[in-house]
């Protein structure tokens, strides 16, 4: 049994697409893969009920028909940090609910890909951060980083925080590569500064749209661009 937590250097950097692509790539290798989005801020509404568009995207990419209450146990209406969104709705995020859902998914699958909310230091409740959730669940992490200018600083700080909080980091995935000197040189510098491997660089695919449920070629892009074997070796 194994899990991988997908977090990032910021929000809106493609964590959902990367998580879905990795889940699909591992499924194609013969693993029974589960997915999870523990907390969805900015949950959409359908027929008067909230749902997680990120969780649905993850499920659709791998053809999962699992229990949505397990896959996304916490739904929040406002697109804000979970702690703020929950406070506005008068809710308390139940960490035991999240952990029990994860353990059930872990029992059912060989690997569970868990996608966080925003960056690694986003607060879930009070001073309990995404990084605290990762350690609470006892998982290694993959950091998703932008390809654009500024990613060296953001990625370095994210990895330093992960190190300080004791999170085992499998590596960094650079997402949405479009070309340019900054994009071409940043991955090597990130590796040199931190000692953490860059697992691969995923090129920009305009066909990917999580909000509208369009996966584009994300699974094949992950298979072609990411060192899947290194990830498998790390967790097994």
């Amino acid at each position: 049994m194994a899990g991988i937590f997908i977090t990032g250097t910021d929000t809106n950097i493609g964590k959902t697409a990367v998580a879905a692509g990795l889940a699909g790539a591992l499924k194609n290798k013969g693993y029974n893969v589960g997915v999870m989005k523990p907390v969805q801020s900015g949950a959409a509404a359908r027929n008067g009920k909230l749902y997680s568009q990120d969780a649905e995207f993850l499920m659709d990419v791998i053809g999962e028909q699992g229990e949505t209450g397990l896959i996304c146990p916490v739904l929040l209406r406002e697109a804000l940090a979970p702690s703020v969104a929950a406070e506005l709705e008068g809710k308390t995020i139940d960490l035991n609910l999240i952990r029990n859902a994860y353990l059930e998914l872990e029992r059912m699958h060989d690997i569970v890909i868990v996608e966080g909310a925003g960056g690694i230091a986003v607060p879930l409740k009070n001073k309990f951060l995404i990084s605290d959730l990762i350690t609470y669940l006892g998982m290694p992490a993959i950091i998703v980083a932008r390809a654009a200018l500024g990613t060296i600083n953001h990625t370095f700080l994210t990895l330093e925080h992960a190190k300080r909080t004791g999170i085992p980091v499998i590596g960094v995935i650079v997402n949405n590569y479009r070309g340019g000197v900054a994009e071409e040189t940043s991955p090597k510098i990130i590796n040199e500064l931190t000692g953490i491997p860059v697992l691969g660089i995923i090129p920009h695919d305009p066909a990917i749209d999580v909000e509208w449920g369009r996966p584009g070629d994300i699974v094949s892009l992950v298979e072609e661009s990411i060192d899947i074997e290194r990830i498998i070796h790390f967790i097994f």
Side-chain angles (χ1 to χ4, degrees):
M1 305 297 181
I4 302 171
F5 200 103
I6 308 297
T7 187
T9 59
D10 201 351
T11 191
N12 294 325
I13 57 171
K15 293 189 307 297
T16 304
V18 172
L22 179 58
L26 290 168
K27 182 178 179 180
N28 287 346
K29 283 190 169 291
Y31 292 97
N32 179 357
V33 183
V35 291
M36 185 180 189
K37 175 80 176 185
V39 180
Q40 174 76 65
S41 295
R46 180 190 296 136
N47 300 323
K49 294 184 178 180
L50 295 179
Y51 73 96
S52 169
Q53 53 271 51
D54 290 359
E56 288 199 355
F57 186 89
L58 293 168
M59 294 167 67
D60 288 346
V61 168
I62 63 170
E64 175 70 51
Q65 300 296 321
E67 172 56 50
T68 55
L70 286 178
I71 293 171
C72 188
V74 179
L75 292 166
L76 300 168
R77 190 179 303 275
E78 299 297 329
L80 300 166
S83 62
V84 179
E87 183 177 357
L88 289 175
E89 294 182 43
K91 294 182 177 179
T92 299
I93 294 177
D94 188 339
L95 299 174
N96 285 329
L97 177 67
I98 293 173
R99 186 173 187 273
N100 290 337
Y102 168 69
L103 291 175
E104 180 64 16
L105 290 169
E106 188 185 50
R107 184 188 66 80
M108 296 163 57
H109 300 91
D110 300 327
I111 306 173
V112 183
I113 304 299
V114 181
E115 184 210 345
I120 196 171
V122 165
L124 287 179
K125 57 183 298 185
N126 301 322
K127 294 183 179 180
F128 192 94
L129 310 179
I130 288 291
S131 54
D132 296 312
L133 179 63
I134 299 171
T135 57
Y136 181 61
L137 297 177
M139 304 173 70
I142 289 175
I143 309 297
V144 179
R146 299 182 190 277
L149 183 66
T151 197
I152 294 172
N153 177 67
H154 296 160
T155 307
F156 178 83
L157 292 175
T158 298
L159 290 169
E160 283 294 298
H161 180 77
K163 180 180 179 180
R164 188 168 64 251
T165 52
I167 296 171
V169 176
I170 300 171
V172 174
I173 292 176
V174 177
N175 188 43
N176 205 29
Y177 173 78
R178 296 170 184 258
V181 176
E183 289 84 349
E184 291 169 2
T185 56
S186 294
K188 182 174 183 290
I189 296 173
I190 289 168
N191 175 247
E192 290 174 346
L193 287 175
T194 68
I196 300 295
V198 174
L199 299 167
I201 302 169
I202 300 175
H204 173 68
D205 180 357
I208 297 172
D209 191 318
V210 173
E211 183 178 355
W212 291 96
R214 299 168 184 161
D217 294 322
I218 189 56
V219 175
S220 60
L221 287 174
V222 167
E223 289 175 326
E224 295 164 4
S225 308
I226 303 303
D227 189 348
I228 303 295
E229 293 303 324
R230 186 176 191 127
I231 296 171
I232 292 171
H233 179 74
F234 188 101
I235 62 176
F236 290 111

